[in-house]
Amino acid sequence: MSLPAWLLERLQAAGGRVPFSTYMGWVLHDPEHGAYGAGRLRIGPAGDFATAPSLGPDFAALLLPQLAEWLETLAAEPDARLALVEAGPGEGSLAADLAAGLAAGWPALAARTDLLLVEPNPGMAARQRRRLADCPLPCRWA
Ligand SMILES: C[S@@+](CC[C@H](N)C(=O)[O-])C[C@H]1O[C@@H](n2cnc3c(N)ncnc32)[C@H](O)[C@@H]1O
């Protein structure tokens, strides 16, 4: 298998050898070429690989009762805003399913809860913004 031209050029410019962490940073996070960085990667049964949240809403449905219990505990503090934080949200499927499930099953909690998505790759964040355009909870990215 041959290396893509951009990667070959970069390796040659770096003297032909780089630490594994540098290599992974390039191929995953480069904003133009990286699998996540460019936002071209597709997660799901018809994509590059599948994850539990990408197979449907069942994974979120399993998590929701426990998350709601924890949010209820935090909600004991009057007027405090609550947050669901997801690191590495991929296509945003889990966040979208959790938000929809919370709004449907625990509307009072949903009204006090924000979604915070921790995503370093602009390309993936753009995909998540599209997926969450109709999200019933306020969404923020960090
Ligand atoms: C394999 S996908 C997982 C997607 C999702 N969690 C799922 O189960 O469908 C990895 C996600 O983590 C993001 N990511 C990669 N490195 C990260 C880091 N250092 N901090 C947070 N997110 C990261 C990627 O951009 C991508 O959105």
Side-chain angles (χ1 to χ4, degrees), residues 17-99:
R17 212 154 61 158
V18 293
F20 184 65
S21 57
T22 301
Y23 172 82
M24 289 309 294
W26 289 346
V27 297
L28 289 181
H29 302 294
D30 182 85
E32 195 181 342
H33 304 289
Y36 294 132
R40 282 193 290 269
L41 186 124
R42 295 288 180 274
I43 303 171
D48 298 292
F49 56 84
T51 61
S54 73
L55 299 178
D58 295 356
F59 191 67
L62 282 171
L63 296 178
L64 257 175
Q66 180 61 76
L67 291 174
E69 191 180 312
W70 284 328
L71 289 171
E72 290 279 12
T73 306
L74 295 169
E77 177 141 344
D79 301 329
R81 290 293 298 171
L82 308 170
L84 278 177
V85 182
E86 183 180 0
E91 303 281 355
S93 308
L94 179 61
D97 291 339
L98 287 176

